[in-house]
Amino acid sequence: AAQTRLQGIKLESLSSQPAELEKQLSQIIPELEQVKAKLSQPVNSINATAVVFDVARNNNLVVTGITSSGTTNESVEVGTLSAISITANVEGNLSKMVNFIAALNSRLKTSVIKSVEIIVPEIIIGDNTTASFIADTTAKIELAIYTYRGE
């Protein structure tokens, strides 16, 4: 009797699973399509480089070097992503560097900041009230920008 009752409980819980799983799937598929659409917008290194220069200019920073290693492909669960790697070297005020990195992340929506290396110069202390930097702060930012290529 207990075994019959146990089988009935298992069958009831199993019979409700397909409906619940289909409901979850119907919610996930539109989200996946939105992500694919966002990632499908083509980005090339020329456009991305222009954004880096624009964001640097808006933050009163100077781009002292910029390189791109070209495009690579990465396989993920939903298909293939194309990735453009860019390394930018900038120079200027430390507080503007932070704004620059945040703005890059905002403007290049499908990008990931891979690394940031900031070098703050030595400070020279003048009299008791003033201090100055010997040089501008420099930063090296490495980022990858992704584009969805399909399944």
Side-chain angles (χ1 to χ4, degrees):
Q3 190 172 4
T4 306
R5 198 167 49 165
L6 184 59
Q7 286 175 343
I9 292 171
K10 284 183 183 176
L11 289 175
E12 273 182 34
S13 64
L14 289 176
S15 67
S16 67
Q17 275 188 336
E20 180 59 31
L21 291 173
E22 285 180 24
K23 180 181 174 189
Q24 288 177 7
L25 186 59
S26 69
Q27 293 171 344
I28 291 172
I29 288 175
E31 291 175 23
L32 177 61
E33 293 306 319
Q34 286 176 339
V35 170
K36 284 181 183 179
K38 184 177 179 182
L39 285 171
S40 293
Q41 313 219 348
V43 175
N44 62 42
S45 62
I46 295 170
N47 292 343
T49 300
V51 169
V52 171
F53 277 100
D54 186 48
V55 172
R57 184 175 46 256
N58 291 343
N59 285 282
N60 297 319
L61 299 174
V62 176
V63 177
T64 58
I66 192 162
T67 58
S68 174
S69 62
T71 304
T72 59
N73 289 321
E74 294 182 26
S75 292
V76 293
E77 281 186 43
V78 296
T80 302
L81 297 179
S82 177
I84 298 172
S85 295
I86 293 178
T87 301
N89 297 303
V90 295
E91 191 173 278
N93 180 285
L94 178 59
S95 64
K96 299 288 185 174
M97 295 273 177
V98 175
N99 295 340
F100 169 75
I101 293 165
L104 266 184
N105 210 27
S106 175
R107 290 271 305 269
L108 297 169
K109 297 201 183 300
T110 62
S111 70
V112 173
I113 306 269
K114 296 285 191 176
S115 71
V116 175
E117 180 182 331
I118 297 177
I119 300 170
V120 179
E122 294 181 38
I123 299 175
I124 298 176
I125 306 280
D127 54 34
N128 291 337
T129 59
T130 62
S132 60
F133 291 109
I134 331 177
D136 283 331
T137 300
T138 60
K140 177 181 177 181
I141 298 103
E142 294 180 16
L143 59 122
I145 305 162
Y146 294 96
T147 303
Y148 179 70
R149 290 290 176 217
E151 297 177 30

